[in-house]
Amino acid sequence: MWLSGQHKRPADQGEGQVGVITMSGGETAALLDCERRGLQVYSPAGYHWTPKVGQRVLVIQGKGEIPCVVGARQGGDRADAVTVEARSLTLLGDRVEAAAQGSAALRGAKVELEGEIYVNGQTLEEYIIALIMRILGGLG
């Protein structure tokens, strides 16, 4: 059928595709142009994120690499709870300090962060850009 030739497959140069998660947990799979299984999930260092079934995600693939999930569409599919791993969590008036190892959870209908967020001395935006550039850097 002539329409089948118009179905777009991921480009070798790292073009991204939006898909829907069909399996989560032990093995991650997403429905893109077809279902892709065994996807790797990337997130900023120090964070652990597992996409939920039905969640819309961005999947990229470098030349000769396994496709990987690099993020989720923001919107109504927010998690009910966010877990932050920490060795200690200290509330100091208007600030919270957390150290690695162990865990602490932020629970509620809404978790809102205001102000600048830093990861290893970089703003969160700078950190995410640097991470994506590292991932895409091997695409030449």
Side-chain angles (χ1 to χ4, degrees):
M1 178 179 227
W2 71 272
L3 288 176
S4 64
Q6 294 181 357
H7 206 13
K8 192 172 182 184
R9 296 192 58 82
D12 288 337
Q13 306 305 331
E15 182 178 325
Q17 277 192 308
V18 175
V20 177
I21 295 294
T22 56
M23 292 173 55
S24 184
E27 181 179 24
T28 303
L31 182 61
L32 303 165
D33 54 341
C34 61
E35 185 177 59
R36 301 287 179 94
R37 293 186 176 199
L39 300 176
Q40 297 177 355
V41 178
Y42 284 79
S43 59
Y47 291 87
H48 177 79
W49 166 67
T50 302
K52 298 182 293 185
V53 172
Q55 194 170 28
R56 293 180 61 81
V57 294
L58 176 62
V59 178
I60 62 171
Q61 180 177 3
K63 189 173 186 176
E65 297 290 328
I66 296 172
C68 58
V69 178
V70 295
R73 183 179 176 123
Q74 301 296 301
D77 52 359
R78 295 183 185 172
D80 294 331
V82 175
T83 301
V84 178
E85 292 184 7
R87 177 178 13 172
S88 66
L89 184 64
T90 308
L91 302 174
L92 301 169
D94 62 349
R95 104 179 178 247
V96 176
E97 291 184 0
Q101 199 176 12
S103 67
L106 303 173
R107 301 190 193 280
K110 182 177 182 180
V111 175
E112 191 171 320
L113 301 174
E114 293 183 16
E116 290 192 28
I117 300 169
Y118 287 85
V119 178
N120 295 329
Q122 292 180 300
T123 66
L124 182 58
E125 291 83 4
E126 291 169 341
Y127 188 81
I128 291 171
I129 289 169
L131 177 65
I132 291 171
M133 295 306 289
R134 279 195 305 259
I135 291 169
L136 297 176
L139 300 177

